[in-house]
Amino acid sequence: MTATTTPEATFGVLPRADGSARYSHAGYTVTGSVNGPIEAQRREEHAYEAHVDVVVRPAAGHGGTRERHLESVLQSSLAQIILVKSFPRSLIQIVLQVENSPENDYVNTKLVQASLNFGIMPALMQTAVLALLSAGVPMRATATGTAVAIMHQDGAKQTMVDPSPRDIEKARSVHVLAFTSQDELLLAESEGDFTVKEWDLVYETARGICCRSRPQAKEGMAMLLDDESTGGPDMRQFLRSTMESKVAADLHWK
Amino acid sequence: MAGPTISLPAPIFAKISPHPFLVRSLTRSTAADHPPCRANGRATQELRPVRFNATSLSHAHGSALVRLGDTTVLCGVRGELLPVERIPQFRPVDKEELRQQGENNNGNCGDAIGRGELRDYDLLVPNIELATGSAPQFLPGVPPTTLAQTLSTRVYSLLHSTGLVQAGDLKIWYSPKEQRRGEDVEMGGTGDKEDGDEEERPVAYWVLYIDLLFVSFDGNPFDVAWAAVVAALRDTRLPVARWDPDREVVVCSKTERRRLNVRGLPVACSAAVFMEKEQSEAGAGPREGGHWLLLDPDRLEETLCKEVITMVVDCSDDETRIKSLEKQGGTLLGRELIRGYAGIAERRWKEVRTAME
Amino acid sequence: MPRDAEPSLNEKQFVITALQENLRLDGRELDQYRPLELSFGDQYGAADVQLGKTRVLAKATAEVTVPYTDRPLDGIFTIATELSPMASPAFEVHRPTETEVLLSRLLEKTVRRSGALDTESLCLVAGQKCWSVRVDVHVLSHDGNLIDASCLAVVAALRHFRKPDTSMDAGVLSVYTPAEREPVPLSWLHSPFCVTWSFFGEEGEIAVLDATWLEEQVRVGSCTVSLNKHGEICQIAKLGGTPVDAVSLLQCTSVALTKVKEFSGLLDRKLAEDLKRRDKGGFMSELRAENDR
Amino acid sequence: MSNDRPLVLPGETIDLSLIPSHPKNPLRLGPGLRHIPPSDIVPTAAGELITNPVKNSMWVEYNSNRYIPSQNDIILAQILRSTSDFYLCSLAPHTPPATLPHLAFEGATKKTRPVLLPGQLVYARVSLANAHMDPELECVHASTGKADGLGPITGTGCIFDVSLGFARRLLMARPAQDGGLAVLEMLGGEEGGGMAFETAVGRNGRVWVGSASARTVVVVGRALQETDRGRLGVEGQRRLVKKLVREMS
Amino acid sequence: MPLDTSTYNLALLRVDGRRWNELRRVHAQIRTQAAADGSSYLEMGHTKVMCVVTGPSEPGPRRGTGGGGAGGAGAGGAAEVVVSIVIAGFSSVDRKRHGRGDKRTLELQSTVANALAASLHIHLFPHSQVNISLHVLSQDGSLLAALINAAALACVDAGIPMTDYVAACTAGSTSTYAANDEGADPLLDLNHQEEQELPGLTVATLGESDRVVVLVCESRVQVSRLEGMLAVGVDGCKQVREILDRVVREKGRRMVQEGTVEKGIGLNEMDVD
């Protein structure tokens, strides 16, 4: 059921940051701030490129090993799309604060959980990209990501987009994929139990969501947003339309 | 880049300008007879041989020493008893939930619940120690690096997602059928129904502390770490334990030991993408310039590569099952390459299996 | 660590000169708060406070755990305040600054030590099991007066929070998941709020409420008064700074009381509204609504 | 959004029809665009693509908060400290300091050079900016040796931070016409009851407002900030000015 | 608290036999460590504190977790006052470890630092640092007050120009926070037991004025009680100031007699303004 919801984003939620965005989708709400390029600390200063620093903060409890892992995954991916070479010796700091994540009402969750949380990765990635765009940090490309699960409902395989925590618990395998705006596969994380064939299926679905390229993108993408034809939102379209409205607002005086 | 005219001893060349050094050795062949290869003398697709050495520790319940080239990992598994009343959020699996789960994922009934127990009560505790001076960048006595934390997270979640260990093996049951006297024993915590004491109930769990120690580090830590974990778990034998209602303690048998039945044999296989050009000033996409997929990268290579891939496969059954796939840090590995990579992973799996047996 | 940039002389001087004419840069009265917004999340125990450009998010959570050995009959109640670089690049992760220490101490004294939450009610099995209630304070945006905003957020979050229901039968404790039984609110005793005065001028004769970050950088001293609406002082902290006349401090306190009454009125209103919002459609449907977000 | 100023996102391909092709003068790329040899022009920021066939130039118009120094920008800098022969100044929080030579003032010599205290403000031009070095400033035209308006800022007044786009609009030759910014004129004009004030706008998103009366400074400052934040059109600005004047008097 | 108040109501005497407005015995010395720039030892009842001041001197390496820095060190326009407090394990009845990171200690540090910074003329010493290190030997209530007084004395001894003494003491009230009885009397200078059982506050004032430098209240109390307590506290501070002043003059006189300093110098420093 969560798969059918459309993502929402608001910009400039943090007036004092260089760039910020609040993104909510599939029960996750993440606020992201971007500061940079700013002066880098000695220890993390690179002579030829900007250091991209990602901090992920859970809604409750101190960040643990799992957050460190998320950070390193996001860091390596975002460093790919940011033009790090154009700001040597500087720092681009991305802070992602999880505000809300869907709870599984059938278990009493513990505060600290070390196992990976696949569902949240796309939300974090999307928030970071939006915040970077709003900060005007020069980028090679934008990126979109999504989570797909393969369920075994009464014997039949079926893919499910943006699975809820409960779905993930039941799923045979869970996958997170992210694509750049040049349709390159930027990030692929999967776990569970699946075959190459199944992964192909997942790839197709994810690609459908992340890189649905529409030539007539110019007009009214608002309604295109929530078409269920391919089961899931059209992320790239979403990205474009949200940015369009932001830019239009910024340049209202033109 | 050092032209042919200048001749530097290889190690110095590698030190001062590692990237060109690697490019050079990958592009030009040293001798006519064999083709260009990596700085470490391996072909791009060539993996280092892996060697296992089980039960190397006498005190641990299970252990293994794994060597992959110059990366050596020692893994020890130790079980400790955890009585249910010491588990704050303990919650006996109630029947109708079992049934629900059964319907939901037909076949492997109760499996999900088992995983739930493993996770909720933290029955599997992997810990990775890199700061042993195993490599220049890991000096002893420093707080765990990001790498160490990342590795332990990956091992932890793979342990759970693969279901390598089943909760059943770690549960210690008590069935009052033959022991009526246990009934009036106040079991704070075993939150069961009225008829709780009638049916058999879990009284304690084994907690498996899985400690990984990097003896030496020369790249590709995850593959080795994971192999060590699997080997150590296969080697693990826990003493047979039962509940003694008179003394209200769990007693372990001195002699009797039961080995865990480890499910399947998932094997990790990692590679890194090496770009001919470091991302150029213009920031032109990484597409330009050649690139190589370096399997089982060593430390030097890892420092020079951004994009990495790790695939965990299990070919125990006829069909190859992928247990985990992690690809990040670049945009070069597309669908086709990843498809093809499965084949490489299978090859790896076979090698590892033979090495293990 | 990267210090925050000092304001320019020009700004410092102007803030003072303006204040001497009862002027503030944003045109407020000296004892006027910035527009205050309080909203609750979809889940229980999430409160979002916006005070001008300052924004604080508080999230309350609870889990069953083992009580401290020296207090077997009490539950555990912690308030975690870690300032992240999101508030300002000057804050580093795991490097508590003075701001952070003083903030957490103030919240500690105001909310915890004043006994706002009945910790004994969190005990489940004496010496064995108890609830550990934890509030995480996330400062999203820092434009001054973190203390008042954070305190309001914490109190709001805790009053909005529901913890899973439990039952004891035959010495057997069972904790119910939200699906089984609707969670229950905490046993809450009184709602304290912080009101922070900032002082300016040679003699600290100009007193200002709800200072912005710029004003905080220029002020010569501050005094935080914590009260509840019954006129009980829970804590006063004027930690040094330019000396201020005792009488004017007393006046500050009495003004603070009126502000506190406003706060608690606002909170009650918001809580009531939120309750109405949730009630329609009953509990399960409300859960679904939660997931649909 | 009209089609002559299409929205572009980083990495999108710009269809060639949009790229101006001028017979003689070379194509000039402004901010938000980069050229990938041989012939690709790719946006690096999200904004509207603006092209100027006459000047044969194109750039991406977008708004942001983080100032990145570029040559010949006029900026408001804050002195951090003085070294043996130059001042270190900050252009924006948390950025590496810019250097302002002691002699880069009108008629400054070893003997007669202005002494500036930490925290003081200077109105200066960026004389050198590149990614690999800290930026350099000057308060004098290297060629003419005239300050023409640059130099230390004195007198009662205050700094107000605005977005970079807003600062750029204020700096336009005719803000009212090109930038849709009439707020300052109004404040000076009859809406504002002819307030007397002066402003110094820095590209780095800082505006200094000076006036004998603190009240005026506050009004002007608020007017600017609220116009920026509220993204007010000319009408909105007029209403705002009326409101402020009413409030403050 | 029934214990305390009841006995009080009988004879209007407190648990330790004092009247409501009575200070405990305050004993103080200055120049206790010859080596230090300034030093002092102070007892308020059984609360015993010693203090050593070094500086104004070159700033040392910056400590990380806000070691109670105060004063415009950022601009480099004035000296920074850095306070470090060590609470000895044996100082209180139950020996509990106060780690350096302990937030309560950090708070005390920054309070003392900011209190002193208000009276010291640190603007005379740009780009420098005044280090005040305090050791708590024994605790019996009014700790913060004792710390401030000790620090003030040590600073006088160090000859750092200051406006006037910062003198501190505590005040309490016999009424519990719940009961809003008007009959409640204010109390001066609380000991440990009273601090535990009764509402109280710590006040520090500058010299003889009524101007409050520090006001810390950590217990629940009716707002109506505040005025009374504050009045008593401020008055107490004046008494404390007298005592401190006597100590300094006494020491000064003896030093003159002993000829360690020529007449005048030791004392003039205090009224630099």
Side-chain angles (χ1 to χ4, degrees):
Chain A
M1 66 197 166
T2 52
T4 61
T5 58
T6 61
E8 296 167 9
T10 46
F11 288 99
V13 285
L14 309 176
R16 295 180 60 84
D18 291 345
S20 62
R22 189 162 189 264
Y23 172 81
S24 48
H25 179 44
Y28 293 98
T29 303
V30 184
T31 296
S33 78
V34 168
N35 278 302
I38 60 178
E39 195 165 17
Q41 301 267 325
R42 278 279 161 283
R43 51 187 141 82
E44 56 198 23
E45 187 179 278
H46 300 328
Y48 299 111
E49 60 180 48
H51 173 73
V52 178
D53 178 25
V54 182
V55 180
V56 174
R57 292 172 57 82
H62 287 297
T65 54
R66 146 166 105 174
E67 277 69 26
R68 298 294 90 68
H69 181 251
L70 284 173
E71 285 166 6
S72 68
V73 171
L74 288 167
Q75 198 273 344
S76 66
S77 308
L78 293 171
Q80 286 297 309
I81 56 173
I82 298 172
L83 290 171
V84 285
K85 296 280 178 185
S86 35
F87 303 107
R89 296 178 294 109
S90 64
L91 166 71
I92 293 172
Q93 188 166 56
I94 305 165
V95 187
L96 300 167
Q97 174 69 61
V98 180
E99 283 188 23
N100 197 357
S101 50
E103 272 165 7
N104 185 344
D105 297 303
Y106 297 86
V107 293
N108 285 313
T109 46
K110 286 190 289 127
L111 203 53
V112 279
Q113 286 192 334
S115 63
L116 265 182
N117 178 349
F118 268 65
I120 201 168
M121 240 191 248
L124 292 172
M125 163 77 82
Q126 220 58 80
T127 315
V129 170
L130 289 168
L132 284 165
L133 285 174
S134 81
V137 173
M139 293 202 282
R140 221 188 80 225
T142 57
T144 48
T146 186
V148 179
I150 294 188
M151 316 290 291
H152 282 222
Q153 294 292 8
D154 38 54
K157 284 201 202 83
Q158 64 181 45
T159 61
M160 171 185 252
V161 180
D162 302 317
S164 74
R166 186 144 170 75
D167 300 328
I168 288 178
E169 205 173 58
K170 290 187 260 153
R172 269 294 172 82
S173 62
V174 190
H175 313 260
V176 171
L177 291 91
F179 296 83
T180 67
S181 47
Q182 282 102 1
D183 299 2
E184 306 156 315
L185 180 62
L186 179 62
L187 173 72
E189 301 266 310
S190 315
E191 76 172 21
D193 176 40
F194 57 99
T195 62
V196 178
K197 252 191 243 68
E198 288 174 336
W199 188 78
D200 264 349
L201 186 63
V202 169
Y203 182 91
E204 276 312 320
T205 324
R207 199 186 147 86
I209 290 164
C210 296
C211 335
R212 208 175 306 160
S213 49
R214 278 216 168 63
Q216 79 286 16
K218 292 280 183 292
E219 52 272 9
M221 55 290 308
M223 50 280 312
L224 295 180
L225 257 181
D226 42 6
D227 65 358
E228 298 314 321
S229 55
T230 54
D234 177 343
M235 291 311 293
R236 186 174 293 173
Q237 211 41 355
F238 159 75
L239 195 67
R240 192 176 174 79
S241 56
T242 37
M243 284 320 293
E244 190 149 31
S245 45
K246 175 189 188 293
V247 170
D250 282 351
L251 308 180
H252 62 94
W253 50 274
K254 276 266 171 194
Chain B
M1 174 176 302
T5 51
I6 319 162
S7 69
L8 277 171
I12 298 174
F13 187 5
K15 275 255 177 306
I16 50 179
S17 55
H19 193 272
F21 174 68
L22 193 46
V23 173
R24 182 141 181 278
S25 51
L26 279 165
T27 40
R28 34 184 95 197
S29 53
T30 46
D33 52 356
H34 65 77
C37 62
R38 290 147 71 172
N40 50 28
R42 282 189 277 151
T44 53
Q45 302 279 317
E46 184 181 349
L47 301 132
R48 291 175 285 185
V50 57
R51 267 182 252 96
F52 288 84
N53 185 347
T55 45
S56 36
L57 301 179
S58 49
H59 292 303
H61 288 126
S63 64
L65 180 80
V66 180
R67 287 203 54 180
L68 180 69
D70 287 342
T71 304
T72 314
V73 173
L74 180 58
C75 175
V77 177
R78 172 157 207 89
E80 286 183 9
L81 280 170
L82 176 69
V84 284
E85 62 266 28
R86 291 240 315 278
I87 308 175
Q89 69 279 36
F90 176 72
R91 189 161 208 282
V93 182
D94 50 3
K95 305 294 152 290
E96 103 286 344
E97 189 175 349
L98 251 171
R99 214 189 61 258
Q100 245 181 36
Q101 293 279 10
E103 289 163 0
N104 292 338
N105 41 19
N106 50 338
N108 54 355
C109 156
D111 182 20
I113 293 174
R115 277 185 212 174
E117 281 174 295
L118 290 176
R119 209 183 315 107
D120 294 347
Y121 311 153
D122 283 320
L123 300 184
L124 303 175
V125 187
N127 171 40
I128 292 186
E129 190 53 72
L130 267 173
T132 55
S134 54
Q137 68 264 45
F138 309 126
L139 302 169
V142 296
T145 54
T146 314
L147 177 60
Q149 299 194 29
T150 309
L151 283 174
S152 57
T153 315
R154 290 169 69 187
V155 169
Y156 183 99
S157 43
L158 196 54
L159 267 172
H160 285 98
S161 64
T162 53
L164 207 56
V165 181
Q166 282 117 74
D169 291 2
L170 306 179
K171 233 182 220 169
I172 294 156
W173 289 90
Y174 167 56
S175 45
K177 304 278 182 298
E178 68 270 10
Q179 260 294 7
R180 235 62 193 79
R181 295 188 23 229
E183 204 162 319
D184 52 336
V185 174
E186 209 288 88
M187 289 296 306
T190 59
D192 234 327
K193 306 284 171 290
E194 294 307 303
D195 59 336
D197 296 342
E198 291 312 319
E199 69 205 24
E200 63 171 5
R201 48 180 164 76
V203 289
Y205 288 91
W206 283 106
V207 180
L208 295 184
Y209 291 91
I210 306 168
D211 288 294
L212 288 152
L213 192 107
F214 274 78
V215 179
S216 67
F217 181 92
D218 187 21
N220 199 2
F222 183 73
D223 291 10
V224 195
W226 179 249
V229 169
V230 175
L233 284 173
R234 287 163 72 97
D235 174 62
T236 303
R237 284 169 189 69
L238 291 172
V240 175
R242 62 175 188 80
W243 172 257
D244 179 339
D246 310 334
R247 287 184 291 156
E248 290 178 26
V249 289
V250 177
V251 288
C252 298
S253 136
K254 291 261 177 306
T255 55
E256 242 184 307
R257 289 186 164 220
R258 213 179 63 262
R259 64 158 61 232
L260 295 172
N261 45 11
V262 175
R263 187 191 294 161
L265 173 62
V267 171
C269 176
S270 302
V273 178
F274 178 68
M275 297 291 180
E276 179 163 6
K277 288 199 177 53
E278 300 177 84
Q279 226 172 353
S280 59
E281 284 305 323
R287 300 210 160 283
E288 69 176 42
H291 66 272
W292 296 269
L293 184 65
L294 306 179
L295 260 65
D296 178 17
D298 64 21
R299 207 174 85 234
L300 171 74
E301 288 163 348
E302 273 182 345
T303 53
L304 299 173
C305 300
K306 287 213 167 70
E307 185 169 12
V308 292
I309 179 170
T310 298
M311 192 183 275
V312 180
V313 294
D314 188 347
C315 316
S316 313
D317 356 352
D318 45 12
E319 177 185 32
T320 306
R321 312 292 305 181
I322 306 175
K323 294 295 182 182
S324 145
L325 167 67
E326 298 178 59
K327 169 248 184 261
Q328 49 175 276
T331 55
L332 203 124
L333 286 170
R335 176 194 209 150
E336 294 316 315
L337 281 165
I338 291 179
R339 270 225 206 89
Y341 193 73
I344 300 172
E346 283 171 33
R347 211 177 75 221
R348 180 53 154 189
W349 185 83
K350 295 198 179 63
E351 292 175 17
V352 170
R353 196 204 27 207
T354 39
M356 252 192 210
E357 253 80 78
Chain C
M1 69 174 72
R3 278 165 166 271
D4 255 320
E6 286 258 319
S8 62
L9 285 177
N10 168 302
E11 282 165 287
K12 288 181 181 169
Q13 286 155 358
F14 186 79
V15 170
I16 307 285
T17 36
L19 281 172
Q20 274 149 354
E21 302 179 28
N22 287 344
L23 272 176
R24 293 173 79 171
L25 286 189
D26 48 13
R28 272 184 293 156
E29 300 301 322
L30 296 195
D31 64 349
Q32 187 185 1
Y33 268 75
R34 287 168 286 179
L36 173 63
E37 283 177 39
L38 167 62
S39 61
F40 295 105
D42 305 317
Q43 291 165 353
Y44 285 123
D48 180 342
V49 168
Q50 291 187 53
L51 193 56
K53 282 201 244 161
T54 294
R55 185 166 182 204
V56 180
L57 185 82
K59 186 144 174 71
T61 47
E63 66 177 336
V64 180
T65 173
V66 183
Y68 296 129
T69 44
D70 54 342
R71 316 191 62 87
L73 297 180
D74 278 4
I76 299 172
F77 174 32
T78 42
I79 304 174
T81 52
E82 199 193 355
L83 298 175
S84 75
M86 181 177 270
S88 147
F91 299 118
E92 285 178 90
V93 193
H94 311 313
R95 287 258 192 92
T97 55
E98 191 171 18
T99 332
E100 183 175 330
V101 170
L102 296 184
L103 173 64
S104 73
R105 275 291 291 168
L106 265 164
L107 293 176
E108 175 89 3
K109 286 190 253 178
T110 307
V111 181
R112 217 170 77 89
R113 293 193 41 193
S114 76
L117 173 62
D118 171 17
T119 50
E120 286 173 6
S121 72
L122 298 177
C123 178
L124 294 168
V125 183
Q128 273 192 349
K129 296 183 183 193
C130 70
W131 281 111
S132 159
V133 174
R134 174 191 171 98
V135 191
D136 287 87
V137 179
H138 303 301
V139 176
L140 302 185
S141 172
H142 175 16
D143 188 25
N145 200 8
L146 284 185
I147 291 170
D148 299 8
S150 307
C151 183
L152 177 58
V154 168
V155 172
L158 284 166
R159 284 187 55 184
H160 185 254
F161 181 58
R162 309 275 178 97
K163 66 182 194 316
D165 197 2
T166 55
S167 77
M168 279 294 260
D169 49 2
V172 173
L173 170 82
S174 26
V175 179
Y176 297 101
T177 63
E180 292 162 349
R181 279 200 199 176
E182 172 152 17
V184 294
L186 302 165
S187 79
W188 190 253
L189 298 179
H190 73 111
S191 301
F193 300 94
C194 293
V195 175
T196 303
W197 289 91
S198 301
F199 302 108
F200 297 84
E202 280 307 303
E203 303 271 297
E205 66 278 6
I206 307 173
V208 167
L209 270 181
D210 184 29
T212 63
W213 174 229
L214 175 59
E215 287 168 332
E216 280 186 359
Q217 285 170 300
V218 179
R219 74 185 174 192
V220 296
S222 73
C223 176
T224 303
V225 187
S226 307
L227 299 136
N228 59 24
K229 64 167 186 277
H230 313 302
E232 288 165 4
I233 295 173
C234 302
Q235 173 279 132
I236 300 180
K238 182 189 188 306
L239 311 175
T242 300
V244 174
D245 190 59
V247 181
S248 52
L249 276 178
L250 287 171
Q251 286 161 351
C252 288
T253 322
S254 51
V255 177
L257 183 52
T258 61
K259 292 291 173 191
V260 163
K261 287 183 174 147
E262 288 171 28
F263 284 151
S264 82
L266 173 80
L267 178 51
D268 296 346
R269 208 166 56 250
K270 290 287 184 182
L271 282 167
E273 285 171 13
D274 184 70
L275 207 60
K276 221 183 270 101
R277 182 167 66 86
R278 285 165 187 277
D279 269 355
K280 60 172 74 94
F283 179 63
M284 281 318 290
S285 71
E286 179 260 305
L287 270 180
R288 210 155 291 116
E290 196 166 291
N291 290 349
D292 289 345
R293 280 277 152 65
Chain D
M1 139 171 343
S2 58
N3 252 343
D4 61 328
R5 304 206 317 277
L7 170 81
V8 289
L9 294 182
E12 287 188 342
T13 45
I14 301 171
D15 60 315
L16 297 165
S17 65
L18 291 168
I19 299 173
S21 50
H22 195 280
K24 297 182 290 304
N25 19 356
L27 180 66
R28 285 161 68 244
L29 296 183
L33 290 173
R34 68 190 175 112
H35 171 239
I36 300 175
S39 63
D40 298 8
I41 292 171
V42 186
T44 63
E48 293 181 1
L49 181 67
I50 314 278
T51 51
N52 182 333
V54 184
K55 292 214 195 68
N56 197 37
S57 63
M58 62 195 292
W59 70 93
V60 176
E61 184 81 42
Y62 64 97
N63 197 359
S64 66
N65 295 328
R66 172 62 53 180
Y67 176 70
I68 295 156
S70 81
Q71 199 147 13
N72 294 328
D73 279 0
I74 303 293
I75 48 84
L76 268 169
Q78 178 179 338
I79 307 287
L80 295 174
R81 62 182 184 279
S82 172
T83 69
S84 57
D85 51 9
F86 53 76
Y87 294 107
L88 292 175
C89 322
S90 92
L91 307 186
H94 307 296
T95 47
T99 58
L100 170 59
H102 285 162
L103 299 182
F105 294 88
E106 182 172 347
T109 66
K110 277 263 170 284
K111 313 248 175 315
T112 70
R113 53 183 182 76
V115 179
L116 302 177
L117 302 169
Q120 234 175 312
L121 292 168
V122 286
Y123 201 35
R125 178 192 300 101
V126 179
S127 59
L128 175 118
N130 84 41
H132 293 275
M133 295 155 69
D134 292 345
E136 277 179 28
L137 309 178
E138 61 186 8
C139 290
V140 59
H141 255 295
S143 49
T144 63
K146 287 270 165 293
D148 45 35
L150 301 182
I153 285 187
T154 51
T156 57
C158 193
I159 286 275
F160 295 88
D161 290 354
V162 296
S163 71
L164 297 186
F166 191 77
R168 223 177 309 123
R169 284 160 68 191
L170 285 170
L171 282 166
M172 285 176 178
R174 301 169 302 146
Q177 291 76 347
D178 312 349
L181 264 184
V183 62
L184 290 179
E185 295 175 13
M186 292 174 185
L187 288 161
E190 82 280 3
E191 290 96 333
M195 296 184 179
F197 60 89
E198 51 180 342
T199 59
V201 182
R203 265 294 192 139
N204 54 342
R206 290 172 165 183
V207 182
W208 179 81
V209 180
S211 165
S213 117
R215 190 164 296 274
T216 311
V217 175
V218 172
V219 172
V220 177
R222 284 182 64 195
L224 288 173
Q225 284 185 325
E226 285 177 31
T227 312
D228 180 23
R229 237 166 262 128
R231 295 167 169 160
L232 301 180
V234 174
E235 229 354 271
Q237 296 169 24
R238 178 167 288 105
R239 257 183 265 106
L240 173 67
V241 169
K242 290 222 175 67
K243 176 170 138 288
L244 288 176
V245 171
R246 224 181 305 113
E247 276 180 20
M248 301 300 277
S249 53
Chain E
M1 76 198 63
L3 165 153
D4 188 273
T5 39
S6 58
T7 48
Y8 181 82
N9 294 340
L10 288 175
L12 293 180
L13 286 180
R14 291 151 67 176
V15 276
D16 53 8
R18 281 184 290 151
R19 302 213 170 277
W20 66 273
N21 60 349
E22 228 176 302
L23 281 173
R24 289 175 290 177
R25 171 173 167 282
V26 177
H27 165 74
Q29 288 170 278
I30 62 171
R31 193 143 310 178
T32 48
Q33 269 93 337
D37 296 346
S39 55
S40 69
Y41 171 80
L42 179 119
E43 292 181 6
M44 293 174 78
H46 295 298
T47 303
K48 301 174 182 176
V49 186
M50 63 188 242
C51 176
V52 170
V53 171
T54 52
S57 57
E58 279 286 302
R62 269 206 63 70
R63 276 205 244 82
T65 52
E80 184 182 18
V81 181
V82 178
V83 174
S84 76
I85 296 175
V86 179
I87 298 175
F90 51 74
S91 63
S92 59
V93 276
D94 52 344
R95 182 185 190 291
K96 70 164 82 81
R97 218 64 215 85
H98 294 281
R100 280 214 171 279
D102 174 20
K103 282 185 173 156
R104 180 166 165 273
T105 318
L106 291 177
E107 188 187 39
L108 285 173
Q109 286 176 347
S110 79
T111 309
V112 175
N114 290 311
L116 269 295
S119 79
L120 296 176
H121 293 187
I122 45 177
H123 56 83
L124 300 175
F125 311 97
H127 308 294
S128 58
Q129 203 175 52
V130 176
N131 281 297
I132 303 178
S133 78
L134 287 148
H135 286 256
V136 179
L137 308 179
S138 158
Q139 307 186 57
D140 182 21
S142 308
L143 177 60
L144 175 57
L147 290 169
I148 292 174
N149 294 334
L153 278 179
C155 288
V156 172
D157 181 29
I160 304 169
M162 59 170 73
T163 318
D164 198 336
Y165 295 93
V166 176
C169 72
T170 54
S173 165
T174 54
S175 81
T176 69
Y177 73 85
N180 188 5
D181 51 348
E182 290 311 315
D185 282 345
L187 298 173
L188 180 61
D189 186 16
L190 307 181
N191 63 25
H192 178 67
Q193 189 181 6
E194 288 169 326
E195 252 180 11
Q196 291 303 308
E197 294 166 349
L198 298 173
L201 46 74
T202 304
V203 194
T205 59
L206 181 64
E208 279 141 332
S209 72
D210 282 353
R211 298 174 51 220
V212 178
V213 182
V214 175
L215 174 60
V216 176
C217 167
E218 300 194 335
S219 47
R220 251 166 104 177
V221 57
Q222 276 294 336
V223 73
S224 52
R225 302 253 68 74
L226 181 63
E227 182 163 7
M229 289 161 66
L230 190 52
V232 175
V234 169
D235 175 67
C237 292
K238 288 176 184 157
Q239 297 182 41
V240 172
R241 181 190 177 282
E242 285 315 308
I243 296 166
L244 301 185
D245 191 45
R246 232 177 289 129
V247 172
V248 172
R249 292 183 185 284
E250 178 51 30
K251 179 74 178 178
R253 178 142 35 72
R254 226 177 307 108
M255 285 163 72
V256 174
Q257 284 166 357
E258 293 159 359
T260 37
V261 287
E262 312 149 33
K263 189 156 181 14
I265 292 193
L267 301 177
N268 288 346
E269 285 188 336
M270 289 181 306
D271 32 48
V272 173
D273 213 334

